Amino acid sequence: MYALVDCNNFYASCERVFQPQLAGKPIVILSNNDGCIIARSYEAKALGIPMGAPEFKVRDLLKQHHVHVFSSNYALYGDLSNRVMKILEAYTPHIEVYSIDEAFLNFKGMTIADYHVYGAAMKHRIQKWLSIPICVGFAETKALAKVANKIAKKYQERTQGVYTIDTEEKRIKALKWTKIEDVWGIGYRLTKKMQAHNIRTAYDFTLPKHEAFIKSTMGVVGMRLKYELEGQSVLAMEEPKDKKNIAVTRSFEGSITTYDAMKERVSTFATVCAEKLRKQKSCCHQVILYLRKDAYQNENQRINFYKTETLPYASNSSLTISALAVQMLKSLFEEGAVYKKAGIIVTSIIPENQKQFHLFEEENPKHLKLMEVMDAYHKKTGERKIRLGNQDLQRTWKMKQNHLSAKYTTNFKEIVEIKCH
């Protein structure tokens, strides 16, 4: 039996954990640079505030309904997500973190008398310990667990946020209820194709008469999904994998026109890429620099620029990768041009323990010790206070974040203060 655990309105729920006065109030979360709406509470959805809408286009609507607006606080969301996953690990050792607010659980080899009671216990503990509301869906396959979770979330009063598909009758009823666009793995384009072929529900998708069409349209992926919806488990739990490419790209708060300002941003991005390499115990052979000019000032002209260089030896040192990135910037940067975005991508990644050493050219061994100190400090404090000399010592990302809440769980200076009388 599988379970899908999904946190309800996760970003909005995270903001409410330390601001309980926002319970029942409409909340929206903005993307980087406070651009678009990327998350909404139930109350905001009920007001008709569209997902993905640019903030400036719905600003009057937000003010009219007194909607609480927040900038993305990924430090807070990431930390609370980790805490949710740690609690779930107490219920089964087999857990696959699917996204920041979702996880699959596998109960193979475990004897559970009542899955509804078991799911209610998960829900109660996470609510009590973290104040994060969740819904749980149980089924024989991962795809059906997704469907069960949607039912639990849609009918929370009837299901208490927990639903189990454990009979053939429940499976068929659930599939007939599920629209094809709500099936796991069916996106916008596939939805149009399915509807044109008269496949409008998940149940229609499983009918034998549509098998040839599904196979020709979606191939093996479609057939696996069909088997899953029929109750045959063919999608196993996935083990965490190291990334083959690591990218750190950001839009700027304003515009960058000087080399020194761009150099600081590029160095910062390269440093974070190196940090991510060390976290997964990997090294990279290649570094790619990406720059994007202002599209409005360069109409009908090229605005995206890339440059790739290969390191003489595999590395995960912030010093080495940053130095190469800055070297590439010297040849790619145009004085007087207006830039809106930049990024660093590291690729050709290998495990750290498979790094080959060179006879005549090798990285300074002092880098290793320095990187260990930097990583240990960051892990302990949650802050990147130890930085390279060409980085901005005040901020990591220069983004517009006018509605940012505090980092309540990762920064001691922003921890909640309680006054006792």
Side-chain angles (χ1 to χ4, degrees):
M1 185 69 83
Y2 289 89
L4 177 69
V5 176
D6 185 15
C7 301
N8 302 342
N9 299 320
F10 183 61
Y11 289 177
S13 296
C14 288
E15 298 292 350
R16 285 172 173 159
V17 169
F18 297 97
Q19 300 182 73
Q21 71 275 15
L22 296 179
K25 305 289 180 64
I27 296 173
V28 298
I29 312 297
L30 303 179
S31 62
N32 291 338
N33 287 311
D34 291 348
C36 302
I37 293 173
I38 59 169
R40 305 162 295 166
S41 65
Y42 288 127
E43 297 79 8
K45 293 174 184 177
L47 294 173
I49 298 170
M51 184 70 163
E55 185 271 341
F56 72 91
K57 286 189 176 182
V58 294
R59 192 171 295 163
D60 292 339
L61 182 62
L62 297 175
K63 289 180 179 179
Q64 178 187 345
H65 294 286
H66 306 289
V67 178
H68 296 267
V69 180
F70 291 94
S71 303
S72 299
N73 189 344
Y74 293 118
L76 176 65
Y77 308 153
D79 184 64
L80 289 177
S81 173
N82 289 334
R83 294 174 187 232
V84 170
M85 302 310 166
K86 285 295 182 184
I87 292 174
L88 293 177
E89 287 175 1
Y91 290 90
T92 175
H94 309 295
I95 179 170
E96 175 192 332
V97 179
Y98 185 64
S99 67
I100 194 170
D101 63 343
E102 285 182 288
F104 283 106
L105 281 64
N106 188 350
F107 302 97
K108 183 178 180 180
M110 298 176 62
T111 302
I112 299 172
D114 190 322
Y115 282 101
H116 190 277
V117 172
Y118 204 68
M122 291 185 210
K123 182 177 173 66
H124 175 73
R125 181 174 292 186
I126 292 174
Q127 180 69 48
K128 185 176 181 180
W129 290 8
L130 298 178
S131 297
I132 298 289
I134 68 167
C135 285
V136 187
F138 291 96
E140 290 290 340
T141 72
K142 292 170 73 174
L144 284 175
K146 272 272 193 181
V147 173
N149 185 275
K150 287 184 181 293
I151 295 172
K153 187 173 287 189
K154 179 72 174 179
Y155 303 104
Q156 291 193 49
E157 290 186 6
R158 269 193 275 171
T159 64
Q160 288 82 52
V162 181
Y163 188 73
T164 306
I165 298 177
D166 53 1
T167 66
E168 186 65 8
E169 182 183 356
K170 283 186 176 181
R171 183 186 72 84
I172 293 174
K173 186 177 180 180
L175 294 185
K176 288 182 176 179
W177 172 83
T178 305
K179 296 177 181 178
I180 190 63
E181 58 264 34
D182 294 330
V183 174
W184 186 29
I186 303 292
Y188 177 78
R189 291 183 180 179
L190 279 174
T191 295
K192 294 298 181 184
K193 291 181 179 180
M194 296 296 163
Q195 290 175 341
H197 203 74
N198 207 31
I199 300 175
R200 303 191 179 277
T201 66
Y203 180 73
D204 295 336
F205 189 87
T206 62
L207 294 177
K209 65 180 180 180
H210 297 307
E211 185 171 319
F213 171 75
I214 292 169
K215 193 171 184 178
S216 63
T217 305
M218 297 179 65
V220 175
V221 174
M223 294 306 296
R224 285 176 180 168
L225 178 57
K226 181 178 181 294
Y227 296 147
E228 284 268 321
L229 293 174
E230 290 173 342
Q232 303 177 51
S233 181
V234 295
L235 298 176
M237 298 285 280
E238 294 184 6
E239 297 293 330
K241 296 179 181 178
D242 291 338
K243 295 180 179 179
K244 295 182 179 180
N245 299 297
I246 294 175
V248 177
T249 62
R250 293 290 185 275
S251 297
F252 304 131
E253 182 178 11
S255 299
I256 287 184
T257 57
T258 65
Y259 172 77
D260 287 341
M262 183 65 81
K263 177 182 176 182
E264 190 279 330
R265 290 292 82 201
V266 166
S267 179
T268 296
F269 299 158
T271 300
V272 177
C273 278
E275 179 185 297
K276 291 184 176 183
L277 281 171
R278 296 192 296 273
K279 190 173 182 180
Q280 69 173 32
K281 298 188 183 302
S282 299
C283 294
C284 74
H285 277 290
Q286 285 191 321
V287 179
I288 302 170
L289 170 65
Y290 162 64
L291 300 179
R292 180 184 176 87
K293 290 183 178 179
D294 188 337
Y296 294 104
Q297 297 194 19
N298 296 272
E299 285 191 53
N300 302 319
Q301 296 181 33
R302 182 183 174 192
I303 60 172
N304 295 308
F305 298 85
Y306 294 87
K307 187 173 180 61
T308 305
E309 291 286 350
T310 301
L311 290 161
Y313 39 77
S315 175
N316 58 18
S317 165
S318 296
L319 293 167
T320 300
I321 295 174
S322 176
L324 181 60
V326 170
Q327 180 183 321
M328 288 191 287
L329 180 64
K330 290 179 181 178
S331 62
L332 199 61
F333 186 84
E334 294 181 25
E335 289 289 348
V338 179
Y339 293 93
K340 299 294 289 185
K341 187 176 183 179
I344 292 293
I345 305 164
V346 293
T347 185
S348 298
I349 294 175
I350 63 169
E352 194 176 46
N353 58 10
Q354 293 181 15
K355 178 180 176 181
Q356 292 185 343
F357 293 92
H358 291 243
L359 182 60
F360 300 107
E361 188 174 17
E362 191 49 66
E363 195 165 59
N364 189 331
K366 292 182 180 179
H367 286 199
L368 179 61
K369 190 62 180 177
L370 178 60
M371 296 303 108
E372 288 177 356
V373 173
M374 292 174 65
D375 292 342
Y377 184 86
H378 179 214
K379 184 177 181 181
K380 182 178 180 181
T381 65
E383 297 181 341
R384 296 185 177 95
K385 288 295 185 181
I386 304 177
R387 306 186 187 179
L388 305 187
N390 56 11
Q391 288 183 256
D392 187 329
L393 299 179
Q394 301 303 315
R395 299 175 66 183
T396 303
W397 311 123
K398 290 188 173 180
M399 292 191 299
K400 180 181 176 183
Q401 293 179 307
N402 294 334
H403 311 281
L404 187 65
S405 56
K407 301 178 180 66
Y408 299 103
T409 61
T410 59
N411 189 327
F412 280 110
K413 294 179 182 179
E414 299 180 26
I415 199 168
V416 173
E417 295 183 1
I418 301 175
K419 294 182 180 179
C420 300
H421 297 282

